[in-house]
Structures are given as C-alpha cells and as structure tokens.
C-alpha cells in the first residue's frame, strides 16, 4: 500500500441541509503537487478548513503521515508541518513584511513564551525570514508595512510564509485569486520552483495553471471527489466534462 | 421556608425577568438588525421613567402618563438614532461602545439639568394599590400582578409583531441580510429608525413600570444596563427568543438567590458563615451563571444564524 | 517600526511630568502635585490596559476592577490591622510589601479566572463580558458590609515601606512616578519580545497566527494576567493616594474612563496612554471647575473624539506622510 502524506476517509460535513463535504476520499502522495478543482460551490473551501482544523468534520477521518489528526487543534497541525495559505489575503497588515514572515520562522524555533530579548534583533529569525523573502523576490520590501504592498505581492508573501514554516504539506487556497496576467505568470514560476521541496495541495480555478503545475488532479463536485488522476486522464474523463459543462456538452475540453 | 413565601419570590423573579426582557429586547433588536451596540440604551429606560413621572403629576393619572410618555420616549429614541447611532453603523463595535459611553454622560447630565438631582417618587393610583387574595396564605400586591401582566402582554405583542406583521417581516429580513433587503426596496433607514424607537419605548416602559416601586432617579439606568448585557450575552446577542429565556432565567436566579441563598448555605455551614457569605455570592450569582453558560456556549444559548 | 515610534515626544512628556509638579509644589502650589500624582497613577493603569487593548487588540471594558482590587488590597489589611481579624493569615498589616503582593496577586488571579472565560469569546461579546465581570466584583464588594459596602473604607495609615513615608506628598509622587516608569518599561519589553510579536500578530489576524502554530489563547491569557496585575499595582497606589477606598473605583464607568485615556492618547504606542491620561484628567479638571454639569460637554467631547478623531493624540504628532491605519472589525 502506498504511503500517503495526506488522506481523508469518508469525510463529511453538512450545514443545515447542505452537504458541503460528502463522503470525501482524497489521497495525496508525498512530494507531489496535487490540484483540487471543481465547479463553484463544490466545497473546496470547506475541505481546506477541515484539513487545517478550523472546522471539524461531522464524520470521517483525516490522516496525516498515517496519523489521525481529525480532532487536532489548528495550531498543533502547524507543528506537524502543515501550512496553509488563505484565499482571501490573510496577512497581518499593520506589521512589516519581514515581521509577517519572521512570525512564521519564530514558530518553528521553540517556545515563544520569551519575554525579554527584542524579537527583531534575533539574527537567527531575521536571517531566515530574509532568506524566504529573497526566494519570493520580496527581500527589498522587507521593512515596508504590509498594507502598502500590492495584491500580487501579498500573494507572494503568503508563499514566503509557507516556505518559512518549512512545511511538509502546503495547503494553497487559490493563490491565483485576483492576480493579473503578469502576476499569475510570476506566481506559477514561483510555485514551480517551490514544488520540488514539498508536497502541495492546490485549490485553484485557473485551468491553465492547474494543468501546468499539477502532478495529479482530483475533481470535487458537490462535496465529493468524482475523479482522481494525471492531468491527461482528467482531461479525457467524461464525467468531469459533464460536471463542468452540463449534460448536453459534447463540446471542447475546458 | 413556606410555600407562600416561595411563590411570592417566584413571582418577584418573574416580574424582574419580564422587566429585564423589556430592556434587553430593545438592546438585542438593535444589535441584531443594525449590528449596533448601544451602551446608552438604559439611559432611555431612565428617560422614559422620568418623563412618565413628570407627566403623572401633570395629568394626575399614572396610566395616562404611561400612554403619553411612551411615544415621547420613542421620540427621544428616534432622535438618538437620527443624530448619533446613524453615524456609527459603519464603525466597529469598539467605536460604538465608546461613543455611546459618551452619550450616557450627555443624556444623564441633560436629565439632571431638566429634572434636578433628586429622584421623583410616583404614587400609585388607588385602584392599583392593595392586594389580591388568591388563597388564604397567598396574598399578592395588586401592582406586581399588573407589571407581570403588562410585561407578558408586551412580550406577546413583540412576538406577534416580529412574526406576524409586515413590519416584523421587514425586521427579520433586515436582520438576516441588510443589503439584500435594501436592494429589494425596503427603506432601511426608516426601518432602523422604527426599530430604534421601538427599543427605546420598550426600555422606557420597563422604567415606567418600576417607578412606583423604586422611584424614578437619574442613576437607575447605570445598574440595569449591565444586567441587560448579561441577559443578551447569555441569550445570544441578536436573538429575541434568547433574550426572553435568558431574562426569565436571570430574573429568577437573581431573585431566588438573594432570597434563599443564605438558607441554602445554612444547610451545610454555620449560620454565621452563611449570613456573611450569602450576600456576596448572591450578588455574583448571575455572573457566575453567565460564565458557566459561556464556558460551554461562547456565543450564548441561542445565537442567531450568522448572516 | 514598532519600537517606540515617538522617542522625543516620550522623553519630553516624561521629563515634564517628573520635573514640573514637584517644582510647583516646592514653590507653594500643592494642588498640582496632587493632580500629577493622581494622573501618574491613572496613567499606569492606562499603560497596563494598553498592553491588552492597544497591542493585543483585546477590548477589556473591565480594567477598573483591577484598580479597585488593588485599592482594597491596601484597605482591607489596613482595616484588620486596626480592628483585628485575619492576623493568622498575616493579613492584618500596614506593610506595603504585603499590600503590593496582594494587589498584584489577587488581580492576577482574577484576571486569570475571568480571562479563561472571556478569551474564548470575541468582538462585542468580549467587551460586554469583561464589563460584566468587573461589575460582578463591584457588587460583591458592595455586599460585604464589614468593609463599608456602598460607603467604602477609609484608611488612616498608608502602606509602610522601609525608609519611605507615603504621607509625604513628594515621596508619594516619586513612588507613583517610579511605578509608572516601571510599567512603561515592562510593557515595552514585553511588546518587543517574541511573546509580544505573537500577541501583536494575533491582534492583526488571529486565525493566521494560529495557523502558524501559536496557541494564541495562551498568549492572550498571559498578557491579560500581566495587564491585570499592573493595573492592580496602580490601584494600590490609588488607595494610598486617596485614603478613601470605595467600590466606585471599580464601577464600569471607570473602565470607560481608562479606555478613553488609552484611545485618546493613541493605542499601541509607548507614550499614548500617558498623554491620554494627561489630557483626560486636565480636561476633566477644567470643565468641572466651570460647572457642576461638566459631564455634558465632556460626554460631547468624548463622542466627538470617537466620531472624528483618528489615531489619537499621538496621531497629531505623526508626520503627514505616514499612512493612516485602517480599522478592522473585531
């Protein structure tokens, strides 16, 4: 049996009458970039919420490196090596770019219940944070207040934070959201560079990006995975076509 | 402890609960619909009581005074909404809290200017004095029964209003999705004014009902506002049903606690220790209940569905 | 960025505060020294509140409770020293060290217990719950007749420390000023430390910080306890200053005053709470000398500050090019 780094088994979550997650089985291989696609309202955000622990499933299990983490609180999942980037930019706007990344670095360096030494003067933290910023080409903006940066730059910071966390598993929730053509290209380049070092679960709408980056793709429809496979397999899959284009398709691929 | 005394205290608890509901309902209505925290809500309770007290002496009838004072209090509420609240809907809750904190000072001092520092005692009309004999041991003050009756009617009226009238439907629509309701042509501004004025009238009514018992005074709002907050926190901010249940719960627990806690304590500690500790503990009782509820349900017992 | 952004202003304000009132006292104007002492004490409480409010984003509307606890921590042992009782616990004493230990210790415990509950809520719930807990203590104290209930408690003997006499106004001021400096240093150090980074991050975006791996609940609770203890320290000084200790000190409206001092001055700055206290108290003094109805213009002023002021007083001293912060809903 293959060892999956992340696996969900019969995951289900309902809100009132709506089954946002419906018997969801997902398997992610270590080191791959696994994209999750699906029509609007398929339940992608709910899935991510449950994977990172901000919501608890009604039934089913989430396994990480073989361990059941279904009920583990979010801050503990970070300790296990899971990092999440948010679809809606979720940075600490009032702090500098460097501060944002430094917090991620600091989290990996033992207890932060330390009250005396000024954090910004700890070179170990600062150097690592600058390093991550350099990898996303934002080192020159380190001391700028985060709210002054563009949306595209914010998305890059999100990636820098995931890098700083040295995550074994990155959950990227629509990193392309709101990016223009140039910015998207830059993000794809960045993700291509990053994906070799880690496992990525990528939620994304932009099909070009998905087919460019993904090793495998899972298709999520009404909270349930209807197909998993390589990009070409998915492209050829009739069920997927129907799910996206409706019953009377017969038209071209997405 | 005999049954009659117990029933008396239960009725007292009921009375307190209903009055708390009248105050809390306005607070939670305004929060649920306008997302507005109004620290000065109890000032309207006080203003209503003062207006009613003054009018009682003018028209020489307590009941007519209430009839006149209610719309007047609603008017004050309307003015507060128009000139203060409206500017704060878009702000975060902290700003609302601070601004209405300042408003308490303004309303309180204005009341001081108008009515002077002394409270106003309101005498009960003849026909409301005296007692009603329900059984040979159960004799209840007539006025308390009236308060309970009035409170229940008001609660019932509110329930009917919210659930069975067009205005109520608009209120519920505005509560669940303000923008959508506005897009559908509902005059949101007008709706907000009405809701605010209604809340003011309800709080004012509570103040008016209590004055024959405790007199209308400038400081009467300051203590009840916190209890009203406890009620809506426990009930779930924005929920009418929650406010009602929490108000009854807290009214009962507070009243019964104050009356019987020392007796209860005396069951397992010395009489002296019981008498020394009971007042402090009964004073803290409703807050302890609040803490317990929040430990299990941080958003209160019946939090309304998120928008 | 983040450390003291207004070093010159801070220095000037603190220097003036240290020098002017004693000079005025020595030249025959004791009133200003009294005013300054009260101001320094309240500023200390405001600095304490700023830790959780300004830097932590936790809107505690109940901090007056800690000031009151601190004051009673002086009053109650003093009462028993005079009238007996509690000797076996060593609490019938005028010893300043005992008073301070009680003031900070009990405040810390109360902050811990209430914080456990409060910090599981957010936004407006948090505001109301902190208010409610403070009021709980108020009612509890009022119901204890031995310590004066509604009427409060007078102490005849101030806290005793070796070599210092708090009966001497200059010395009382010096101690209060020293405590203010202490509080400022504590808060600043905390805020710039690794602990402080997490706290500030959580203020900006709690969910994000949790996802990074921090149990922000624990950090906030710690900050809340420290803040409460510091406010309790201020309370002990207040009790010594006024010698009349009343439940009114912990009334929720006092908490509102403290909040205004912090916000008026500018949250999340070192000197903001001090500036805010100065302005708040000076205006209070001026207005109340004109009319007994001073709360009316005062209330209007407070409302105007909220409606039209941005960034507090400290914002006035900011350079024009700096961007204004955006407020986020709690």
């Amino acid at each position: 049996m293959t060892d999956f780094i992340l696996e969900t088994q019969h995951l289900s979550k309902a809100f009132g009458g709506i089954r946002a997650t419906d018997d969801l089985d997902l398997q992610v291989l270590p080191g791959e970039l696994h994209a999750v696609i699906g029509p609007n309202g398929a339940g992608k955000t709910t899935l991510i919420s449950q994977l990172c622990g901000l919501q608890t499933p009604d039934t089913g299990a989430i396994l990480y490196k073989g361990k059941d983490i279904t009920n583990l609180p979010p801050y503990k999942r970070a300790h296990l090596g899971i990092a999440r980037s948010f679809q809606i930019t979720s940075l600490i706007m009032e702090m500098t770019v460097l501060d944002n990344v430094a917090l991620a670095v600091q989290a990996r360096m033992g207890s932060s219940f330390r009250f005396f030494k000024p954090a910004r003067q700890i070179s170990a933290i600062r150097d690592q944070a600058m390093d991550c910023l350099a990898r996303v080409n934002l080192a020159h903006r380190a001391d700028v207040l985060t709210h002054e940066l563009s949306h595209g730059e914010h998305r890059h910071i999100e990636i820098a934070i995931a890098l700083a966390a040295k995550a074994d598993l990155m959950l990227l929730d629509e990193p392309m959201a709101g990016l223009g053509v140039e910015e998207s290209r830059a993000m794809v380049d960045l993700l291509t560079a990053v994906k070799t070092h880690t496992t990525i679960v990528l939620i994304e709408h932009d099909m070009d990006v998905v087919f460019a980056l993904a090793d495998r793709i899972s298709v999520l429809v009404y909270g349930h995975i209807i197909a998993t496979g390589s990009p070409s397999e998915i492209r050829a899959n009739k069920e997927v076509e129907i799910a996206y284009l409706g019953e009377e398709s017969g038209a071209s691929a997405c | 402890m005999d049954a009659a005394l117990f029933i008396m205290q239960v009725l007292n608890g009921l009375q307190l609960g209903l009055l708390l509901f009248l105050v809390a309902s306005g607070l939670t209505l305004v929060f649920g619909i306008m997302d507005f925290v109004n620290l000065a809500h109890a000032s309207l309770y006080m203003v209503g009581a003062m207006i009613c007290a003054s009018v009682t002496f003018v028209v020489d009838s307590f009941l007519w005074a209430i009839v006149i004072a209610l719309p007047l209090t609603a008017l004050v509420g309307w003015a507060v909404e128009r000139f203060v609240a409206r500017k704060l809907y878009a702000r975060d809750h902290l700003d609302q809290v601070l601004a209405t904190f300042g408003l308490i000072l303004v309303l309180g001092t204005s009341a001081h200017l108008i009515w002077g520092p002394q409270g106003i005692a309101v005498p009960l009309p003849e026909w409301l004095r005296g007692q009603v004999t329900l059984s040979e041991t159960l004799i209840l003050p007539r006025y308390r029964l009236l308060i309970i009756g009035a409170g229940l009617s008001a609660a019932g009226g509110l329930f009917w209003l919210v659930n069975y009238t067009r205005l109520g439907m608009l209120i519920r629509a505005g509560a669940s999705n303000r923008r959508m309701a506005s897009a559908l042509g509902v005059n949101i501004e007008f709706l907000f004014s009405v809701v605010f004025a209604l809340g003011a009238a309800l709080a004012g009514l509570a103040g008016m009902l209590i004055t024959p018992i405790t007199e209308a005074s400038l400081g009467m709002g300051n203590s009840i506002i916190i209890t009203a907050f406890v009620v809506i926190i426990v009930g779930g901010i924005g929920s009418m049903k929650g406010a009602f249940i929490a108000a009854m719960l807290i009214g009962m627990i507070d009243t019964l606690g104050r009356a019987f806690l020392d007796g209860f304590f005396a069951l397992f500690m010395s009489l002296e220790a019981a008498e020394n500790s009971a007042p402090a503990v009964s004073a803290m009782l409703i807050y302890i209940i609040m803490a317990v509820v929040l430990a299990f349900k941080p958003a209160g017992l019946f939090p309304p569905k998120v928008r | 960025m983040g450390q003291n952004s207004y070093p010159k202003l801070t220095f000037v304000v603190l220097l003036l505060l240290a020098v002017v009132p004693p000079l005025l006292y020595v030249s025959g104007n004791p009133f200003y020294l009294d005013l300054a002492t009260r101001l320094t004490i309240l500023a200390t409480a405001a600095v304490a509140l700023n830790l959780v409010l300004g830097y932590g984003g936790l809107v505690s509307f109940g901090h007056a409770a800690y000031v009151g606890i601190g004051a009673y921590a002086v009053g109650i042992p003093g009462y028993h020293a005079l009238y007996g009782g509690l000797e076996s616990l060593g609490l019938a004493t005028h010893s300043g060290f005992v008073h301070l230990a009680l003031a900070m210790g009990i405040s810390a415990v109360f902050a811990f217990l209430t914080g456990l509950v409060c910090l599981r809520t957010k936004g407006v719930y948090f505001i109301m719950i902190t208010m409610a807990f403070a009021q709980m203590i108020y009612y509890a104290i009022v119901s204890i007749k031995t310590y004066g209930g509604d009427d409060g408690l007078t102490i005849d003997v101030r806290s005793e420390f070796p070599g210092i006499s708090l009966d001497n106004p200059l010395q009382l001021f010096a101690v209060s000023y020293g405590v203010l400096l202490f509080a400022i240093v504590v808060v600043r150090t905390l805020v710039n430390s690794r602990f402080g980074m997490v706290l500030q991050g959580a203020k900006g975006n709690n969910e994000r910080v949790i996802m990074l791996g921090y149990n922000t609940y624990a950090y906030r609770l710690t900050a809340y306890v420290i803040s409460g203890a510091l406010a309790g320290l201020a309370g002990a000084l207040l009790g010594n200053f006024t010698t009349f200790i009343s439940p009114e000190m912990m009334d929720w409206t006092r908490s509102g005053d403290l909040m205004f001092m912090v916000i008026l001055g500018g949250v999340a700055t070192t000197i903001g709470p001090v500036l805010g206290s100065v302005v708040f108290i000076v205006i209070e003094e001026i207005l109340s000398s004109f009319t007994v109805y001073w709360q009316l213009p005062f209330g209007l002023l407070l409302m105007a500050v909220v409606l039209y002021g941005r960034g507090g007083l400290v914002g006035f001293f900011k350079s024009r090019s700096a961007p204004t912060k955006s407020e986020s809903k709690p």
Side-chain angles (χ1 to χ4, degrees):
Chain A
M1 199 186 69
T2 341
D3 282 327
F4 299 117
I5 185 171
L6 179 71
E7 189 184 350
T8 70
Q9 294 171 342
H10 307 300
L11 205 64
S12 295
K13 185 161 185 75
F15 296 108
I18 301 176
R19 294 228 201 96
T21 308
D22 189 5
D23 195 28
L24 201 157
D25 288 326
L26 178 70
Q27 292 103 15
V28 179
L29 292 164
E32 70 171 349
L33 191 148
H34 192 117
V36 175
I37 64 174
N40 270 326
K44 304 196 278 287
T45 306
T46 315
L47 171 62
I48 286 260
S49 282
Q50 290 170 82
L51 289 177
C52 69
L54 290 172
Q55 285 185 320
T56 24
D58 298 333
T59 52
I62 303 173
L63 300 172
Y64 176 71
K65 293 183 183 171
K67 234 180 81 161
D68 188 332
I69 62 164
T70 321
N71 293 309
L72 203 62
Y75 77 93
K76 286 201 181 146
R77 296 188 197 200
H79 294 168
L80 295 177
I82 302 177
R84 176 198 171 162
S85 85
F86 291 72
Q87 173 188 3
I88 302 168
T89 301
S90 182
L91 301 170
I92 303 159
M93 291 301 177
E94 302 89 3
M95 296 177 103
T96 63
V97 172
L98 185 61
D99 283 340
N100 266 279
V101 183
L103 256 182
V105 173
Q106 192 183 307
R108 276 191 310 103
M109 294 174 61
S111 170
S112 282
F113 269 90
R114 295 276 183 273
F115 306 102
F116 293 103
K117 204 164 170 199
R120 293 188 175 99
Q121 290 171 19
I122 298 176
S123 53
I125 297 177
R126 200 187 156 82
D127 293 343
Q128 280 194 51
M130 285 300 286
D131 194 54
C132 296
L133 278 178
R135 287 170 71 185
V136 303
N137 300 318
L138 279 178
H140 60 293
R141 304 280 265 161
D143 292 327
V144 180
L145 287 176
T146 307
H147 66 80
E148 290 179 40
L149 269 63
S150 72
H151 181 65
E153 289 172 308
H154 285 160
R155 303 318 253 141
H156 279 242
I157 301 174
E158 294 262 358
I159 304 294
I161 290 177
L163 289 173
K166 290 229 176 87
D168 293 327
L169 174 67
M170 283 194 199
L171 305 171
L172 299 184
D173 192 354
E174 301 204 34
M176 301 297 161
L179 294 183
V181 173
E182 273 301 316
E183 293 170 321
S184 285
R185 216 169 282 156
M187 181 59 89
V188 171
D189 290 340
L190 180 55
L191 288 178
T192 311
V194 162
K195 72 180 239 192
T196 44
H197 305 293
T198 181
T199 312
I200 298 180
V201 172
L202 175 72
I203 306 255
E204 195 35 76
H205 264 125
D206 187 332
M207 285 308 153
D208 292 332
V209 168
V210 168
F211 283 110
L213 289 172
D215 298 316
R216 291 199 306 151
I217 302 176
S218 286
V219 183
L220 183 63
V221 178
Y222 292 132
H224 186 78
I225 303 272
I226 63 168
T228 303
S230 70
S232 45
E233 286 169 357
I234 293 296
R235 222 194 282 260
N237 187 310
K238 276 281 169 266
E239 271 183 59
V240 172
E241 204 180 306
I242 292 173
Y244 267 98
L245 302 172
E247 285 290 346
E248 0 74 49
S249 71
S252 46
C254 359
Chain B
M1 170 186 74
D2 56 301
L5 181 62
F6 185 70
I7 294 179
M8 275 285 290
Q9 293 300 351
V10 167
L11 281 169
N12 280 342
L14 191 62
Q15 176 193 302
L16 178 60
L18 284 168
L19 288 174
L20 276 177
F21 173 66
L22 288 178
V23 177
S25 60
L27 203 53
T28 213
L29 205 58
V30 165
F31 186 87
I33 294 172
M34 288 102 95
D35 202 21
F36 182 70
V37 186
N38 183 10
L39 232 50
H41 185 69
S43 302
L44 297 162
Y45 165 84
M46 180 264 294
V47 164
M50 298 302 265
I51 294 178
C52 176
S54 292
V55 174
T56 308
F57 287 108
V58 170
V59 300
D60 208 24
S61 160
F62 178 58
L63 282 185
W64 277 112
I66 293 185
V67 170
I68 297 173
L70 274 177
L72 285 176
T73 313
L75 193 63
V76 175
W78 175 88
V80 167
E81 196 274 333
R82 173 77 182 73
F83 298 111
V84 180
R86 202 171 279 191
K87 298 187 179 22
L88 292 163
Y89 292 143
R91 303 290 216 92
D92 62 50
H93 293 142
L94 172 59
D95 285 349
Q96 294 170 357
V97 163
L98 292 174
T100 49
F101 178 76
L103 184 60
I104 294 178
L105 297 180
V106 171
L107 288 176
T109 327
S110 304
H112 186 186
L113 273 167
I114 298 174
W115 285 287
Q118 297 289 75
I120 306 177
V122 174
L124 274 177
E126 264 312 317
W127 64 279
L128 281 175
R129 291 187 215 165
Q131 286 119 341
V132 167
T133 313
L134 291 180
S135 79
E136 56 177 37
T137 44
L138 206 53
I139 303 172
L140 304 162
R142 191 167 285 175
Y143 187 60
R144 294 204 186 249
L145 286 175
L146 177 84
I147 295 182
I148 293 175
L152 282 173
S153 315
L158 199 56
F159 179 75
W160 172 82
L161 178 81
V162 171
N163 289 308
Y164 294 104
T165 64
R166 182 170 154 73
L167 176 63
M169 182 193 72
L170 294 175
I171 288 176
R172 279 179 288 133
S176 56
N177 196 325
R178 192 187 317 170
R179 227 165 257 148
M180 196 49 152
S182 176
L184 289 173
V186 176
N187 185 346
I188 289 292
E189 245 177 37
F190 176 70
L191 183 66
F192 285 4
S193 294
V194 167
V195 169
F196 210 93
L198 180 64
L202 287 168
L205 178 63
M208 294 172 208
L209 287 174
I210 199 76
T211 45
I213 301 179
T214 61
E215 100 167 3
S217 66
L218 293 177
M220 61 194 285
N222 266 2
S223 45
I224 204 159
I225 186 71
I226 301 288
T227 321
F229 277 145
V230 173
V231 165
I232 71 174
I233 291 169
V234 168
I237 302 182
S239 161
M240 280 296 239
K241 175 174 107 173
F244 186 77
I245 293 176
M248 301 318 289
L249 193 68
I250 285 174
M252 282 296 178
I253 290 176
D254 192 57
T255 310
L256 294 175
R258 283 174 201 280
F260 300 120
L261 201 63
D262 51 0
F264 179 67
F265 275 5
L267 290 176
F268 45 86
M269 56 171 90
S270 78
L271 199 57
E272 201 195 317
E275 277 176 20
N276 280 335
S277 58
V281 176
S282 61
M284 299 199 292
L285 208 49
I286 62 171
Y287 302 98
I288 296 174
I289 300 292
M290 177 186 77
V292 169
V293 168
L294 290 172
F296 295 105
K297 309 201 86 187
L301 291 172
F302 301 102
K305 299 276 180 289
V306 184
R307 262 174 246 187
Chain C
M1 63 201 124
Q3 289 101 333
N4 193 359
S5 316
Y6 307 95
K8 280 185 227 152
L9 180 62
T10 307
F11 181 71
V12 167
V13 170
L14 289 175
L15 183 66
L16 285 176
L17 192 56
V19 161
V20 171
L23 278 179
L24 287 172
Y25 176 78
V26 163
S27 65
N29 282 302
F31 168 73
Y32 293 103
L33 188 67
D34 269 356
L35 187 64
T37 308
R38 186 161 82 96
L39 194 155
T40 342
I41 293 173
L42 289 175
T44 305
V47 166
L49 175 58
N50 197 25
L51 174 62
V52 290
L53 171 61
Y55 292 105
L58 305 171
V59 184
S60 167
F61 214 103
H63 254 60
Y66 304 110
V67 176
I69 289 174
Y72 274 94
V74 171
I76 292 179
Y79 171 88
H80 285 291
L82 245 46
Y83 301 109
L86 291 191
E87 284 104 345
S88 50
L89 291 171
L91 291 176
T93 170
H94 294 301
S95 156
F97 293 117
V98 174
H99 293 172
L100 289 186
L102 281 176
M104 296 180 78
I106 298 180
S107 297
V109 170
F110 186 67
F112 181 75
L113 292 175
T114 54
L116 279 177
V117 178
C118 299
L119 288 169
R120 301 182 70 223
T121 64
K122 26 183 204 194
V124 68
Y125 281 90
F126 183 80
I127 301 175
M128 292 186 186
I129 287 161
T130 49
M131 211 191 291
F133 276 130
Q135 206 62 358
M136 172 181 91
I137 279 278
Y138 171 86
Y139 284 128
I141 285 277
V142 163
S143 66
I144 302 179
K145 296 300 168 203
T146 336
Y147 302 129
D150 239 337
D151 297 324
L153 197 58
T154 316
I155 55 169
D156 300 315
V157 180
R158 291 193 157 98
S159 300
E160 289 166 352
F161 293 97
I164 300 177
S165 167
L166 292 181
D167 287 319
N168 178 327
L170 271 174
Q171 291 192 35
L172 181 56
F173 174 71
V175 170
S176 307
Y177 185 81
V179 167
L180 173 63
L181 286 183
F182 171 70
I184 289 177
V185 168
V186 166
V187 170
R188 264 197 62 190
T189 312
L190 235 47
V191 156
N192 288 320
S193 71
R194 274 166 283 186
F195 172 84
M197 288 295 127
V198 178
L199 186 69
Q200 292 191 71
K203 172 191 178 189
N205 196 325
N206 193 32
E207 227 176 51
R208 160 62 83 189
V209 175
I210 291 176
M211 291 310 308
L212 288 178
Y214 297 105
N215 184 0
T216 54
Y217 178 75
Y219 287 82
R220 287 176 154 175
L221 187 58
T222 308
Y224 198 69
V225 168
I226 295 174
S227 173
L230 281 176
L233 180 57
L237 287 173
L238 188 64
N240 272 295
F241 174 66
T242 61
T243 67
F244 170 62
I245 297 159
S246 108
E248 292 306 316
M249 286 171 165
M250 27 177 117
D251 184 51
W252 68 273
T253 51
R254 299 279 82 76
S255 294
D257 292 347
L258 279 179
M259 292 198 55
F260 263 105
M261 290 179 210
V262 172
I263 286 160
L264 260 181
V267 300
T269 63
T270 305
I271 200 61
V274 180
L275 260 185
S277 310
V278 171
V279 171
F280 191 89
I281 288 177
V282 165
I283 293 185
E284 207 181 54
E285 283 294 325
I286 294 176
L287 285 178
S288 57
S289 69
F290 278 134
T291 163
V292 72
Y293 300 112
W294 63 275
Q295 289 194 323
L296 180 52
F298 196 59
L300 287 171
L301 192 65
L302 294 181
M303 290 172 72
V305 165
V306 176
L307 287 169
Y308 306 114
R310 282 251 156 266
L313 290 169
V314 160
F316 277 132
F317 297 96
K318 240 190 208 266
S319 65
R320 294 291 155 212
S321 56
T324 44
K325 287 194 209 163
S326 50
E327 313 251 24
S328 46
K329 272 210 178 266

